[in-house]
Amino acid sequence: MEDIRELTKEELSLRLKAMGEPSYRTSQIYDWIHKKHVSDFDSMTNLSKKTRERLSEDFYITKLRAVSVLKSELDGTRKYILALGDGNVIEAVLMRYSYGNSVCISSQVGCRMGCRFCASTLGGLVRNLSAAEMLSEVYAIEDDTGERVSHIVIMGSGEPLDNYDEVVRFLRMVSDGDGINISQRNITLSTCGIVPRIYELSKLRLQITLALSLHASTQEKRMNTMPIAKAYELSEVLKACRHYTRETGRRLTLEYALAKGVNDSMEDADLLSSIAKDLGAHINLIPVNPVEECGFSEPSRENLIRFRERLEKAGANVTVRREMGRDIDSACGQLRRRYMIDAGLCTD
Ligand code: SAH
């Protein structure tokens, strides 16, 4: 059995042709799956019973079930725990901004990158998500709210470039005019810096924004918090990012999670601003979200402001990430982790 949501429109058309279906079926079925988000063939009421039966012999349709939804009273943020077909759970978040609804999706169940401040990696990698499952995260949230999603950030659990093929398939399908049609310019892919994959991605010339999780301004400091830095030197990562910008014309974002006493000195700020200026990159400062098991704490309000002002004085382009849904707590893999601990599924 194959997941029909995984197929591009062209692939679907070939399968249907092989089944002897007329060509107009492709658009009918693609609409049901990607515009109306149905998850069973019986709902496809403009198809004959025979066609529906034929389809259900060869295919199934991914369905994600929301097992928990936390709603913020402050800003309308919704945090979802979604169950996959095999019983694994992932998290996704809806954030409402003045410019539209943005969804933060997971790209893997768990993660194997081992960043020391991150909750998503504590239990290791369980498996990759399929493109259909990533699409279904967005569809499930549109269906729950009845509102259109206009922006996507691949910043939930997982390392998207460690699941390269499915993430690229997802990017193509989610920005397809025949599907949910989200502009590539409204999509951000965040990576810890898997150098060969940044070069591969550059070749595709997608118009998405690449965000590099930098979190430290020297190779030595980066190695202390991000094991991936042992595989790829900071200078190599920055070179790959410069190449991405040159190939795609897209401005890079540098993500920098500020942790007290770890990477928040004025010297850190000076090195960071020179990296950003050199790359023509935008800096996104994120006060670290303390994870009990990890032992990092947020910088004081004053230090955050001092750090930002130091960057600005040096002429860097910087924003501080606003924390959404402060009243519903949990972020960056903590939601899933807490859910699993409560359900007795997680013992480490
Ligand atoms: N693996 C990808 C995307 C997922 S993580 C990456 O590394 O970019 C999304 C972002 O959240 C990354 O910048 C990550 O470093 C950051 N992050 C993870 N845990 C965090 C925490 N406890 N506080 C603040 N940011 C965190």
Side-chain angles (χ1 to χ4, degrees), residues 117-118 155-156 158-160 190-192 213 215 255 257 288-289 291 332:
F117 42 82
C118 181
M155 290 190 185
E159 167 49 49
S190 177
T191 177
C192 63
S213 294
H215 305 322
E255 288 165 281
V288 83
N289 208 305
V291 175
C332 307

Side-chain angles (χ1 to χ4, degrees), residues 279-291:
L279 289 168
H282 178 92
I283 301 168
N284 199 198
L285 284 184
I286 314 154
V288 83
N289 208 305
V291 175

Side-chain angles (χ1 to χ4, degrees), residues 112-124:
R112 59 179 179 141
M113 294 298 128
C115 298
R116 284 190 42 221
F117 42 82
C118 181
S120 298
T121 199
L122 289 169

Side-chain angles (χ1 to χ4, degrees), residues 216-231:
S217 313
T218 64
Q219 167 63 9
E220 203 191 340
K221 275 204 174 183
R222 204 163 183 262
M223 278 199 301
N224 289 335
T225 48
M226 301 177 70
I228 192 71
K230 297 187 180 123

